[in-house]
Amino acid sequence: MPPKKKKGKGKGKGKKKGKKKDDAQLELEDKYKRTMDEINALKDHLAIRREFTRRAKSASADMAKKMEEAEKELEEHKDDQKAINADMTRQYKTMQTEMGLRIHQLETELGRTRTQLSSTEAELRKSYEDRKKMMEERENEIVDLKLKIDSMEQAYENVLREALDTLMQKLDVAKGQWEEQSAMIQTKNKQTLLEFGLNPLDV
């Protein structure tokens, strides 16, 4: 039951006290509204950062597990915030004396949200750095492979050239031997024909 208002001279003083109480109530409501606006802005910011994190996951397989855990933590944190906001709304309607405590709790949650956002941004930066490093390593591997291929092609070319040179030398030697044997056979045939009294030119 509210206290009875004093009459007479104390009436103006009661109004002044009520006005101070209303000002304090308005200040608490304003502080609560600012806190809720900041939380909503951070939630929107977290949603955008989470989308960036999802895109980064597809580019880096090594970070997939960590990014999934980060998304799970963000979803759990979002559910916690919804539960806290609903609880704050119920308590605001029934227990104004606990408003300061609830605002303090929200400020604690706000600090936790900022910490989580900072951690998510750090993971996102690391994902980009890992992707850049992976691309550089892949480019270096491609350059090394090209150098190896060029070296192998040069080696094969030298081997083929040496094999052809060796074959040509063998062919030249075989040709000389064949021509020499052919000349000896022709000479022997001529002598045989002469022994039989035949002229090689008439045959």
Side-chain angles (χ1 to χ4, degrees), residues 5-169:
K5 296 182 180 180
K6 294 182 180 180
K7 298 181 180 180
K9 295 182 180 179
K11 188 175 182 181
K13 187 175 180 181
K15 287 183 178 180
K16 187 174 182 182
K17 184 176 180 181
K19 184 177 181 182
K20 288 182 178 180
K21 187 175 181 181
D22 291 341
D23 290 342
Q25 178 66 26
L26 290 174
E27 184 179 354
L28 285 174
E29 291 177 356
D30 186 58
K31 188 173 183 181
Y32 171 79
K33 186 177 182 300
R34 289 198 305 270
T35 304
M36 292 297 295
D37 291 342
E38 189 172 359
I39 287 176
N40 290 331
L42 283 172
K43 285 167 64 177
D44 294 339
H45 196 50
L46 277 173
I48 294 172
R49 289 297 180 182
R50 192 180 70 182
E51 177 64 17
F52 289 158
T53 303
R54 186 189 66 78
R55 294 180 181 178
K57 283 197 307 177
S58 64
S60 178
D62 293 337
M63 292 296 297
K65 186 175 180 180
K66 290 184 179 180
M67 300 310 291
E68 288 175 358
E69 292 175 354
E71 287 182 355
K72 184 178 179 181
E73 289 177 0
L74 287 175
E75 289 296 330
E76 291 175 355
H77 185 73
K78 186 177 179 180
D79 293 337
D80 291 340
Q81 281 188 324
K82 287 182 179 179
I84 291 172
N85 291 340
D87 187 58
M88 281 292 296
T89 301
R90 289 192 300 270
Q91 290 190 17
Y92 176 75
K93 291 179 180 179
T94 58
M95 296 178 289
Q96 293 182 354
T97 56
E98 295 183 2
M99 184 66 71
L101 178 61
R102 298 305 297 162
I103 290 174
H104 177 70
Q105 291 176 352
L106 282 174
E107 288 175 347
T108 302
E109 290 296 326
L110 182 61
R112 189 181 304 169
T113 303
R114 287 174 175 170
T115 301
Q116 183 63 41
L117 178 60
S118 177
S119 176
T120 303
E121 289 176 344
E123 290 182 359
L124 183 62
R125 285 194 298 270
K126 188 175 185 303
S127 175
Y128 283 133
E129 290 173 359
D130 290 343
R131 182 183 177 188
K132 183 179 179 182
K133 183 179 179 181
M134 183 178 65
M135 294 298 293
E136 290 176 353
E137 290 176 353
R138 189 171 297 172
E139 289 176 359
N140 291 334
E141 289 178 358
I142 291 172
V143 171
D144 291 340
L145 286 174
K146 285 183 178 179
L147 291 175
K148 289 180 180 179
I149 290 171
D150 293 340
S151 178
M152 290 176 65
E153 288 179 350
Q154 186 65 36
Y156 286 140
E157 186 178 351
N158 292 335
V159 170
L160 289 174
R161 188 180 295 109
E162 291 177 359
L164 288 174
D165 291 343
T166 302
L167 180 61
M168 291 301 295
Q169 290 176 1

